[in-house]
Amino acid sequence: MNNSIVYKLVMMALLFVITSCGDNKEQAAAAKEQQALPFPVTQLQTKTVTGYTEYPTTIEGKVNSDVRAKTSGYIEKVYVDEGQKVRKGQVLFKLETQSLSQDAGAAKARVNVAQVEVDKLIPLVAKNIISPVQLETAKANLAQAKANYSGVTANISYATIKSPIDGFVGAINFREGALISPSDATPLTTVSQIDEVYAFFSFNEAQYIDHLQRSEGQNKAERIKNSPDLTLVLANGKEYSEKGRIQTSTGQINQSTGTIQIRAAFDNPNEILTNGNSGKIKFPIEYKDAIVVPQTATFEQQGNIMIFKLGENNKVETSILKIKGTVDNLYVVESGATANDKIVVSGIGKLRSGMAIAPQETSFEEAIIPVATLFRN
């Protein structure tokens, strides 16, 4: 066969192979484009949402008054029981006063003797029979005797121990027969006024500054006045019926703990709360016109919260979010997304950056509906 003919046949074969390869690549690309998987996407919007931060709290009565003895003695009678409601001035304890009564009798007798001495000396001084100094000395002895008598009678009155306030009796630490004195470290009991109670909790330094900056007002007092209502979660997990308000703070950061103590007040009309209760304060934080992203649309990578944004040619690209709060199933976004962005809202585990998808438009309200939990441990 002629060499030129062979050469032409070879060139024709090569051209056919090259053409076939090009067609296959185009077909593969077209097939790949046709196989782009569908994913739900939504247009982000701004939304005003309210989140809650919880703080452990302890409850105390508005007034907690320790009941202590003003004189030493043995308890003769306890007139109340623990938890009993009492009025101001109501008798709680009675001390044995027999020895005090004897002391009072002796003191009264000394007063009488001193008085007789004064009465005897007055006419003698008037007649210049004795020096006026003797009379003055007798009068001083009389005054001393009266003071001693008053002290003993006061101790007798102190033996009747009364409630200093309206309230409820706490633990009774001493019973009949116990010897007590004013120097005892432990009070007889504590009476708590609980028509209003105080809830104490703490902010760290950053939380305290955030709170002041969020609240309206020209000074601390105005900002506290404009603080939001608080919710108290009781130890049984249920919310207390009354809302509370912040009243004051210690005003200084504790250098040891880095916290500042806050005092909130709650009305207690049904006397459900009492001194020593515990619970949690739910502190509301309102985010106005904020960008929110459903948590189902995010994933974590190297400590960063990320989303997939829909870009040109329906290709997705990752974006790192900076989060400033969490409200239910939503992240409140500080940066990394805007209301102009469309994001993939689910199925993100199957995506990679630069991948083309077939976007399925989903309304924003539908996208942020919480996903029900099907299984629980």
Side-chain angles (χ1 to χ4, degrees):
M1 184 179 293
N2 190 307
N3 288 337
S4 61
I5 296 175
V6 172
Y7 175 77
K8 290 180 180 180
L9 291 174
V10 171
M11 293 301 295
M12 290 177 64
L14 288 173
L15 181 61
F16 176 77
V17 170
I18 292 172
T19 303
S20 298
C21 289
D23 291 342
N24 288 339
K25 288 181 180 179
E26 291 177 0
Q27 291 173 2
K32 185 176 181 181
E33 186 70 25
Q34 291 174 357
Q35 292 174 1
L37 297 176
F39 286 87
V41 300
T42 193
Q43 180 82 46
L44 291 181
Q45 298 178 14
T46 58
K47 189 175 180 68
T48 298
V49 293
T50 301
Y52 294 89
T53 304
E54 293 188 344
Y55 302 91
T57 185
T58 55
I59 305 297
E60 292 185 10
K62 182 178 180 180
V63 179
N64 294 303
S65 183
D66 287 343
V67 178
R68 297 181 180 275
K70 293 183 178 180
T71 187
S72 299
Y74 290 94
I75 297 178
E76 184 178 90
K77 182 70 175 176
V78 178
Y79 289 94
V80 293
D81 200 359
E82 295 172 340
Q84 182 175 333
K85 189 173 184 178
V86 295
R87 306 295 297 177
K88 181 179 180 180
Q90 182 174 337
V91 177
L92 307 179
F93 302 88
K94 183 75 180 326
L95 303 185
E96 181 272 321
T97 59
Q98 182 177 353
S99 60
L100 290 174
S101 297
Q102 293 172 351
D103 292 342
K108 181 63 176 175
R110 287 191 290 271
V111 170
N112 292 336
V113 170
Q115 184 66 59
V116 169
E117 181 69 12
V118 170
D119 293 342
K120 182 181 72 173
L121 295 178
I122 290 175
L124 297 178
V125 171
K127 296 176 181 179
N128 293 321
I129 297 174
I130 63 172
S131 169
V133 175
Q134 288 180 269
L135 177 60
E136 294 302 318
T137 301
K139 287 182 178 180
N141 291 336
L142 176 60
Q144 181 63 48
K146 287 182 177 179
N148 290 338
Y149 177 67
S150 296
V152 174
T153 55
N155 283 338
I156 292 176
S157 67
Y158 292 155
T160 302
I161 302 172
K162 301 177 181 180
S163 176
I165 60 171
D166 296 342
F168 289 83
V169 177
I172 295 176
N173 301 310
F174 298 91
R175 297 288 177 173
E176 284 88 347
L179 176 63
I180 61 173
S181 75
S183 61
D184 289 335
T186 304
L188 293 170
T189 188
T190 300
V191 179
S192 299
Q193 185 178 338
I194 60 171
D195 55 329
E196 183 181 57
V197 297
Y198 292 147
F200 294 92
F201 62 101
S202 296
F203 284 148
N204 63 35
E205 186 175 357
Q207 291 166 340
Y208 180 63
I209 294 173
D210 285 343
H211 167 63
L212 292 180
Q213 290 178 333
R214 281 194 301 265
S215 301
E216 297 180 358
Q218 298 298 317
N219 52 48
K220 177 184 172 183
E222 290 183 2
R223 293 188 183 99
I224 288 178
K225 183 179 179 180
N226 293 326
S227 295
D229 290 342
L230 305 180
T231 300
L232 174 63
V233 180
L234 303 175
N236 62 1
K238 296 182 179 180
E239 292 188 358
Y240 182 54
S241 58
E242 306 294 322
K243 296 295 184 182
R245 299 283 298 177
I246 291 178
Q247 286 194 331
T248 189
S249 68
T250 52
Q252 294 181 349
I253 304 294
N254 185 312
Q255 296 300 313
S256 300
T257 63
T259 60
I260 185 168
Q261 189 177 67
I262 308 297
R263 189 185 79 199
F266 288 82
D267 287 334
N268 190 28
N270 298 320
E271 298 174 353
I272 292 176
L273 303 177
T274 190
N275 203 43
N277 276 137
S278 62
K280 294 180 180 179
I281 292 292
K282 287 179 64 176
F283 192 95
I285 301 175
E286 184 180 58
Y287 302 97
K288 294 183 178 180
D289 299 325
I291 296 294
V292 295
V293 170
Q295 294 183 15
T296 54
T298 68
F299 65 100
E300 188 171 338
Q301 188 176 80
Q302 297 180 346
N304 295 316
I305 303 297
M306 308 185 72
I307 57 172
F308 281 104
K309 293 182 181 180
L310 185 65
E312 294 183 359
N313 300 320
N314 291 333
K315 291 183 178 180
V316 295
E317 300 292 339
T318 58
S319 178
I320 298 175
L321 299 181
K322 185 176 181 181
I323 306 300
K324 62 180 177 180
T326 303
V327 179
D328 298 328
N329 66 314
L330 304 175
Y331 282 130
V332 182
V333 178
E334 183 172 335
S335 63
T338 70
N340 296 322
D341 293 326
K342 285 187 177 181
I343 65 168
V344 180
V345 295
S346 64
I348 56 177
K350 301 176 183 178
L351 295 176
R352 65 181 183 276
S353 186
M355 178 177 173
I357 65 170
Q360 305 294 309
E361 294 289 341
T362 303
S363 71
F364 180 72
E365 294 301 326
E366 182 180 351
I368 63 175
I369 294 175
V371 177
T373 302
L374 299 178
F375 299 98
R376 297 183 183 272
N377 293 331

